[in-house]
Amino acid sequence: MEWITNPEIWISLLTLTVLEIVLGIDNIVFISILAGKLPVDQQKKARSVGLALAMITRILLLLSLSWVMSLTATLFNMAEWFGVNDSNLLSKFAISGRDLILLLGGLFLIYKSTHEIHEKLEGDEGDHSVKKVYSFTGVIIQILILDIVFSLDSVITAVGMADEIMVMIAAVTIAVIVMMFSAASISNFVNKHPTVKMLALSFLLLIGFSLVAEGLDQHIPKGYIYFAMAFSVLVEVLNLKSKKKSNPVELRNTPQE
């Protein structure tokens, strides 16, 4: 029970919880978009199940840290396939288990985001006369696939931020609970505004590219991505506020000669 009186543990818990919430935003957006395809009476359940699966996945990965750390071992090297002997290229194209998960997850996210954008613009969603039925189980499976990818990123961050396994689990649990309370409002906002939904899909596309780049050992600082997302959201909020004004801006009359 010594951890209760240790301020460093409380600081690491608070910091890690905030980071987990930030890292979970893209997960919430993805869950909200998929859940929005279901009937209204199933959407809340899908969001809750999706976030619960995210929490369970994160905790299971934290409890198997030795396995997670083993994912950094090289499985194969793509440079060797082409007979490349340059040590720098050999290092960059060495694919580990973690890299493989990030690559596959990133490619899946790129495909899914592109498919959703196409469907919204030219597919069934763009044709109001056609109503496509989506399976609850199918939506949950898609959420689970991306939960694994997002959870891996979250767990690696947790390992780097804290030493106590219980602090990591507590931070993940608190973050998911906070996300559960905010998921409904985020989902409603995204689904209510078509331009925001398109922006959210663009975010997921950007995150998919960053995951692929990370899998190929091309690190893109998360701060750049989140800044771009925050700036885009700010511009969109200003656009939405400007649209609410019913009266157009009136120009002052020029003085008559």
Side-chain angles (χ1 to χ4, degrees), residues 5 7 15 17 20 66-67 71 82-83 113 121-122 132-133 136 141 144 165 174 179 183 185 199-200 214 253:
T5 58
T15 306
T17 301
E20 291 292 327
S66 59
W67 177 77
L71 292 175
F82 302 98
S113 302
L121 292 176
E122 300 182 16
K132 190 173 181 180
V133 178
F136 181 86
I141 290 174
L144 179 59
I165 186 68
I174 295 171
M179 288 190 286
S185 57
L199 187 62
E214 190 78 23
N253 293 325

Side-chain angles (χ1 to χ4, degrees), residues 20 27 49-65 67-68 101 140 143-155 169 172 176:
E20 291 292 327
N27 206 348
V49 171
L51 288 171
L53 288 172
M55 180 173 66
I56 293 170
T57 304
R58 284 165 169 76
I59 292 176
L60 288 177
L61 286 175
L62 284 171
L63 293 175
S64 56
L65 281 180
W67 177 77
V68 173
I101 292 174
I140 294 299
I143 291 174
L144 179 59
I145 292 173
L146 260 296
D147 274 345
I148 295 172
V149 179
F150 290 135
S151 295
L152 187 65
D153 191 26
S154 172
V155 167
I169 293 176
V172 166
V176 171

Side-chain angles (χ1 to χ4, degrees), residues 87-126:
S87 59
N88 187 37
L89 290 176
L90 286 171
S91 174
K92 286 186 176 298
F93 288 96
I95 304 298
S96 65
R98 172 182 175 272
D99 295 335
L100 193 59
I101 292 174
L102 291 177
L103 280 170
L104 293 176
L107 290 173
F108 175 76
L109 196 54
I110 290 172
Y111 160 75
K112 191 63 185 173
S113 302
T114 305
H115 176 74
E116 293 294 329
I117 290 173
H118 171 77
E119 186 177 76
K120 184 168 179 60
L121 292 176
E122 300 182 16
D124 293 340
E125 190 172 339

